[in-house]
């Protein structure tokens, strides 16, 4: 048995096909004819764009527009002067096209790979895909035609790039196993869209399997079996049938209210990263947006986005959501998210440094531009403002004062905005948790960011394998913190949401119902599954479980009790 990351739920049983990596070595000798080399490079780029556009169109027809955007983003990247222009400069300096492509792509890959934010790490994976595709074209390397694998195939690869995944035919591929990748990688997104079970980041799996080996891919648990024994195979055939049945039942929750078994109705929102993601919220029956990460506008630009550019992006999302809530998180940079044109200082410990609301309050021109854009967009929907990484009430007051000043400016310029726009705090630091009762008196709402709250509460770098065993939302200290935040919100009469991964965890949901969480914000793809879990619990049942859990001393004891209580 091998373990990895659960990237796409389901059970896949079939025969392995190993996707071999190509030899992409090339001659690095200095070129003599620069003009001819530039022409060779430009021809390769044109071929790349043509092939990528064709793949994107195929995905649009077979899967959907949202998934097609993954490959369309590759076209935008290669057209960006900061990428293709730098490659051209290196060719003009005498480097061959292959060397220029590799050097520029590796620079961007290195920059994005160092960021802890998974959304930005995916940029590194996308650029790596672009690099490999361009090198294959330049070196005339034939790609594997994944579309022609036989039915019942389990694909195994070091990495399955979006361009490779786009060739997959759902009827032929029973499962996917890779050595790298995570839940938010574009390959994982495509696998989920195709409803193909996938387990990623299985160490050295390509070295231990052979073509035509029988394999089981348990995409729900993140487990892989190679050449399984008869009894395990029999168990998984039954599990696969049960999973298919349960997935069909989830469709019954589309269009229904989110409600517990005894009639309590929390809101079920979604987390998004771009305006176009708002369409996915509607498609997946989400009831609003609990977290719109605004960093995308800044990370995807070579220069500071203008007020108008930001306004148009927020307005697009607001109009798509209509009367449904759109909570926009103000710029959350620093730590793992460095933006060159903002000239942020190098810090020894950036995660505890000048980031998020701290940076914004210290750079009011940047902050004012964004707040003005959000306020203007609030005239087109139910927009709310959320401040990230709040540590003290002074930060909340300073931001609200700046918002008040901008409102006066908008009034004087005759610009429309929501005069009653709500301003809330993202509670993700231990200090904010401890003074939640104070913050609640001056906030319109709370949203708990469990990822950072857990990391900071447990003093754990969640990217450090040596201490990862301590990173758990189920630790008694984290649970007590979450309960205190919700209790503080209730006492002040403000709604409390959760936009961290824990909001969609079936083990965590009954505790949140017991604590009185008002709003669950999850990945759009998990809306129906979360609604289904919520529907199975009564408040009385959740309270009984919560009372038992909160009396326990260790994370292991808590998880054991919660697993035993799971409702099938």
């Amino acid at each position: 048995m091998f373990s990895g990351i659960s990237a796409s739920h389901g059970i896949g049983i079939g025969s392995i096909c190993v996707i071999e990596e190509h030899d992409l070595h090339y001659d690095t000798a200095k070129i003599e004819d620069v003009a001819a080399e530039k022409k060779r490079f430009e021809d390769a780029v044109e071929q790349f764009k043509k092939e990528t556009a064709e793949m994107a169109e195929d995905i649009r027809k077979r899967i959907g527009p949202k998934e097609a955007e993954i490959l369309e983003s590759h076209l935008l990247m290669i057209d960006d002067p900061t990428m293709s222009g730098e490659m051209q400069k290196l060719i003009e300096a005498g480097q061959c096209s292959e060397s220029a492509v590799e050097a520029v792509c590796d620079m961007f890959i290195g920059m994005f790979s160092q960021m802890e934010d998974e959304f930005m790490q995916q940029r590194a994976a996308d650029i790596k895909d672009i690099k490999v595709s361009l090198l294959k074209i330049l070196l005339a390397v034939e790609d594997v035609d994944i579309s022609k694998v036989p039915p019942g195939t389990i694909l195994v690869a070091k990495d399955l790039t979006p361009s490779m995944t786009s060739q997959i035919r759902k009827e032929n591929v029973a499962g996917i196993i890779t050595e790298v990748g995570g839940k938010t990688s574009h390959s994982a997104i495509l696998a989920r869209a195709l409803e193909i079970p996938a387990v990623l980041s299985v160490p050295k799996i390509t070295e231990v399997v052979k073509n035509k080996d029988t394999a089981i891919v348990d995409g729900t648990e993140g487990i892989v079996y190679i050449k399984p024994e008869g009894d395990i195979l029999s168990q998984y055939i039954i599990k696969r049938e049960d999973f298919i049945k349960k997935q069909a039942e989830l469709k019954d929750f589309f269009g229904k209210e989110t409600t517990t078994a005894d009639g309590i109705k929390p809101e079920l929102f979604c987390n998004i990263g771009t305006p176009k993601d708002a369409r996915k919220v509607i498609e997946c029956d989400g009831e609003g947006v609990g977290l719109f990460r605004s960093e995308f506008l800044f990370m995807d630009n070579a220069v500071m986005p203008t007020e108008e550019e930001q306004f148009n992006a927020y307005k697009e999302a607001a109009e798509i959501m209509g009367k449904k809530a759109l909570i926009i998180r103000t710029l959350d940079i620093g730590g793992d998210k460095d933006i060159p044109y903002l000239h942020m200082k190098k810090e020894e410990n950036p995660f505890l440094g000048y980031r998020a609301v701290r940076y914004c309050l210290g750079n009011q021109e940047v902050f004012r531009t964004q707040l003005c854009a959000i306020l203007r967009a609030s005239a087109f929907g139910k927009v709310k403002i959320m401040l990230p990484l709040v540590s003290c009430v002074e930060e909340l007051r300073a931001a609200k004062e700046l918002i008040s000043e901008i409102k006066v400016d908008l009034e004087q310029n005759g610009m429309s905005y929501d005069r009653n726009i709500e301003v809330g705090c993202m509670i993700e630091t231990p200090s904010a948790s401890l003074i939640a009762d104070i913050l609640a008196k001056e906030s319109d709402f709370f949203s708990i960011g469990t990822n950072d709250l857990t990391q900071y509460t447990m003093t754990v770098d969640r990217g450090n394998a040596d201490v990862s065993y301590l990173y758990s939302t189920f630790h008694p200290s984290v649970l007590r913190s979450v309960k205190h935040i919700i209790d503080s919100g209730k006492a002040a009469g403000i709604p409390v949401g959760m936009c961290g991964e824990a909001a969609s965890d079936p083990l965590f949901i009954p505790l949140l119902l017991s604590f009185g969480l008002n709003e669950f914000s999850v990945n759009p793809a998990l809306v129906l599954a979360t609604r289904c879990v919520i529907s199975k619990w009564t408040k009385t049942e959740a309270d009984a479980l919560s009372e038992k859990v909160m009396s326990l001393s260790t994370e292991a004891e808590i998880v054991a009790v919660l697993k035993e209580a799971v409702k099938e």
Side-chain angles (χ1 to χ4, degrees), residues 142-286:
E142 285 292 325
D143 222 339
V144 179
D145 191 349
I146 297 174
S147 67
K148 292 182 179 176
V149 297
T153 294
I154 303 288
L155 294 176
V156 178
K158 279 192 178 292
D159 188 13
L160 207 58
T161 64
S163 56
M164 292 164 68
T165 313
S166 68
Q167 301 172 44
I168 289 175
R169 294 299 181 264
K170 178 182 175 180
E171 60 272 19
N172 294 344
V173 178
I176 296 169
I177 312 169
T178 69
E179 291 187 4
V180 300
K183 286 185 178 181
T184 58
S185 69
H186 283 162
S187 295
I189 292 169
L190 287 169
R192 287 194 291 271
L194 289 163
E195 298 180 334
I196 296 173
V199 178
L200 311 185
S201 288
V202 181
K204 300 182 178 178
I205 190 67
T206 58
E207 298 174 19
V208 297
V209 300
K210 296 176 183 175
N211 283 322
K212 299 189 177 178
D213 279 349
T214 298
I216 296 171
V217 179
D218 185 338
T220 304
E221 296 294 332
I223 295 170
V224 170
Y225 291 90
I226 306 299
K227 293 190 284 191
E229 296 177 357
D231 57 338
I232 293 176
L233 187 57
S234 299
Q235 290 170 21
Y236 267 93
I237 289 172
I238 295 169
K239 280 187 177 182
R240 182 173 60 182
E241 294 304 315
D242 286 344
F243 178 82
I244 292 169
K245 182 181 176 183
K246 286 176 183 176
Q247 287 302 108
E249 289 172 353
L250 280 185
K251 294 176 182 176
D252 293 338
F253 286 90
F254 192 91
K256 290 187 177 178
E257 281 189 309
T258 303
T259 179
T260 61
D262 54 350
I264 295 171
K265 297 176 180 177
E267 294 181 297
L268 186 49
F269 289 178
C270 296
N271 304 327
I272 66 172
T274 70
K276 289 181 173 58
D277 287 345
R279 291 195 181 91
K280 191 70 174 177
V281 177
I282 304 300
E283 290 168 11
C284 293
D285 204 31

Side-chain angles (χ1 to χ4, degrees), residues 310-319 322-328 370-385 403 406-407 410 415-423:
Q310 293 188 59
F311 163 67
N312 287 328
Y314 306 142
K315 175 176 176 262
E316 180 183 351
E319 288 179 331
K323 295 181 179 179
K324 296 182 177 183
L326 174 69
I327 300 176
I328 301 175
Q370 181 177 39
L371 290 173
C372 191
I374 295 173
L375 282 166
R376 288 173 57 199
S378 70
F380 299 88
K382 193 177 177 182
V383 174
K384 302 181 185 183
I385 298 172
I403 291 168
I406 296 169
K407 284 181 176 180
L410 292 175
M415 290 185 170
S416 300
Y417 68 93
D418 179 3
R419 288 170 173 74
N420 299 311
I421 191 168
E422 295 182 12
V423 180

Side-chain angles (χ1 to χ4, degrees), residues 392-411:
C392 56
V393 74
E394 290 89 341
E395 291 170 337
L396 173 60
R397 288 173 180 171
K400 288 176 72 174
E401 184 177 342
L402 187 57
I403 291 168
S404 296
E405 291 174 9
I406 296 169
K407 284 181 176 180
V408 172
D409 291 343
L410 292 175
E411 292 272 4

Side-chain angles (χ1 to χ4, degrees), residues 352-383:
L352 300 180
Y354 196 49
R355 54 172 295 206
V357 73
R358 302 167 184 177
Y359 173 86
C360 288
L361 288 171
N363 292 269
Q364 295 218 354
E365 185 179 347
V366 174
F367 200 24
R368 180 179 285 272
T369 299
Q370 181 177 39
L371 290 173
C372 191
I374 295 173
L375 282 166
R376 288 173 57 199
S378 70
F380 299 88
K382 193 177 177 182
V383 174

